[in-house]
Amino acid sequence: MKKTKILLISMTALLLAACGTKKAVIQQKPVQDTKVTQPTTPAPKDNKLQSVVAMQRITDNALYQKNLVSNLTFTLNDGRKDITVPGILRMRKDEVIRLQLLIPILRSEVGRIEFTKDYVLFIDRIHKQYVKASYEEVGFLRDNGINFYSLQSLFWNQVFAPRQQRMSEADLSQFTVDESKAQGEGVITVSLKDGKMDYKWSVNPKNNLIQLTTITYNSTAHGASKLSWTYNDFRAFGSKLFPADQTLTINTPAIGQKPAKTLKANFVLDGFSDGSDWETLTQPSDKYTKVSVEDILGKLMNF
């Protein structure tokens, strides 16, 4: 039971810390060479159009389904050991991301983590406790601008613009697209710099599928923290392909007496369904005790 408790706490914090968002910045326009006898740099309008076309190819891979349900094998590694449990992933686009962690073989639910547009919910079935808090109530979520829609995009294998539920063509033009290494086994690189945040997507040029998302937060006081989300084993889901193997890695630098740390969570999905016969939001039982966010995060810090 102790290992299960540790797993649930760690999983919650991993997902809570999954991404940061801030205000986007517009890519500066390149200067056009006016000499007719020399090769000229394409006009800013042409560069922007090429980037938008490339971005449209990438965003066209988004699933049509509103719901995604799958059996899940979840593995957490803290740099010392792996802990693996079965589970169920349920996602309803623009509404909820839910991870249900189960007891092996019996498949009884021991924990539930739910992200909605307005709040985060964590239920511990073992100790009959729960946390329900808005994103503003969780200090590091609020301070780093963590957003439901960016977290959703990571799970759904999509490019995202900070704070945007959906991207317009104007949003697509904010990204920098580098196709210079797209030949052979290379990748298309999509990037967006946003203050202290750097976003980068590595895209397979053959099918325009995202293989890797990297988010780096550069702090003058604490150094660079890095989140990486890799995607593998793409399988058919309707008319599109979706990654059945996803790995989240968080690297934090050494701060004072605290050493650098790496946490890794792997999600292996088995069988996709677009089933919708499940409730969108979970209501904790009256028999459960509500505890503070600090209580859960405090236990993580002592992990």
Side-chain angles (χ1 to χ4, degrees):
M1 290 299 183
K2 183 177 180 181
K3 288 185 178 180
T4 304
K5 180 71 171 180
I6 292 172
L7 172 64
L8 297 177
I9 294 170
S10 302
M11 178 59 185
T12 303
L14 272 172
L15 295 178
L16 288 176
C19 118
T21 59
K22 296 181 187 291
K23 186 177 180 181
V25 293
I26 304 298
Q27 179 73 14
Q28 291 184 344
K29 296 180 179 180
V31 178
Q32 184 176 6
D33 189 349
T34 57
K35 296 180 180 180
V36 295
T37 58
Q38 299 294 331
T40 59
T41 301
K45 182 177 179 181
D46 293 338
N47 285 343
K48 187 171 292 187
L49 177 60
Q50 291 173 5
S51 294
V52 169
V53 171
M55 289 297 297
Q56 286 175 334
R57 293 198 305 267
I58 297 168
T59 56
D60 280 347
N61 279 318
L63 297 179
Y64 294 124
Q65 290 84 351
K66 182 178 178 63
N67 295 281
L68 186 150
V69 180
S70 177
N71 288 325
L72 167 72
T73 298
F74 170 71
T75 300
L76 176 69
N77 180 282
D78 68 338
R80 295 176 295 174
K81 61 181 180 295
D82 288 335
I83 303 174
T84 301
V85 296
I88 300 173
L89 173 65
R90 299 181 193 271
M91 299 193 294
R92 182 161 289 158
K93 198 170 293 183
D94 298 332
E95 296 185 49
V96 68
I97 301 167
R98 177 184 301 154
L99 289 124
Q100 297 168 254
L101 303 182
L102 311 177
I103 297 175
I105 302 176
L106 297 178
R107 294 187 66 81
S108 298
E109 184 177 294
V110 294
R112 179 175 294 202
I113 303 164
E114 195 164 279
F115 292 91
T116 75
K117 293 179 290 185
D118 302 315
Y119 62 82
V120 180
L121 175 68
F122 167 69
I123 298 178
D124 178 359
R125 304 287 190 196
I126 298 173
H127 301 90
K128 298 187 183 304
Q129 296 178 336
Y130 75 95
V131 173
K132 184 177 182 180
S134 70
Y135 290 85
E136 286 296 314
E137 291 178 275
V138 185
F140 71 88
L141 291 177
R142 179 189 62 246
D143 297 340
N144 290 284
I146 291 175
N147 180 277
F148 168 78
Y149 294 109
S150 51
L151 181 59
Q152 173 176 260
S153 295
L154 288 166
F155 270 101
W156 286 82
N157 188 230
Q158 296 175 356
V159 174
F160 60 89
R163 295 183 313 282
Q164 299 298 316
Q165 180 175 348
R166 290 183 176 83
M167 292 195 298
S168 64
E169 185 170 311
D171 293 321
L172 296 182
S173 66
Q174 297 177 13
F175 295 85
T176 299
V177 180
D178 182 0
E179 298 184 85
S180 63
K181 299 180 180 179
Q183 301 299 320
E185 299 300 321
V187 297
I188 298 171
T189 300
V190 176
S191 58
L192 176 66
K193 184 170 180 57
D194 177 38
K196 295 181 179 180
M197 306 296 297
D198 290 313
Y199 301 87
K200 183 176 292 185
W201 293 265
S202 297
V203 180
N204 187 330
K206 296 180 180 179
N207 51 25
N208 297 298
L209 291 169
I210 300 169
Q211 298 175 321
L212 169 66
T213 301
T214 304
I215 303 172
T216 305
Y217 174 67
N218 298 290
S219 169
T220 303
H222 304 300
S225 299
K226 183 178 179 181
L227 177 150
S228 301
W229 201 300
T230 60
Y231 306 92
N232 292 290
D233 191 16
F234 285 82
R235 300 182 183 181
F237 186 30
S239 61
K240 306 289 185 177
L241 295 174
F242 191 76
D245 189 331
Q246 304 186 19
T247 300
L248 162 65
T249 304
I250 297 176
N251 297 289
T252 56
I255 302 174
Q257 299 299 317
K258 295 182 179 180
K261 192 168 186 179
T262 298
L263 291 174
K264 183 178 293 186
N266 177 240
F267 311 87
V268 177
L269 309 182
D270 181 19
F272 304 137
S273 165
D274 61 355
S276 59
D277 56 342
W278 49 279
E279 74 284 358
T280 302
L281 304 178
T282 300
Q283 180 61 43
S285 168
D286 293 337
K287 297 179 180 179
Y288 282 50
T289 302
K290 185 176 182 179
V291 297
S292 69
V293 174
E294 289 72 20
D295 182 45
I296 296 294
L297 296 181
K299 291 176 182 177
L300 174 69
M301 294 301 104
N302 294 322
F303 174 45

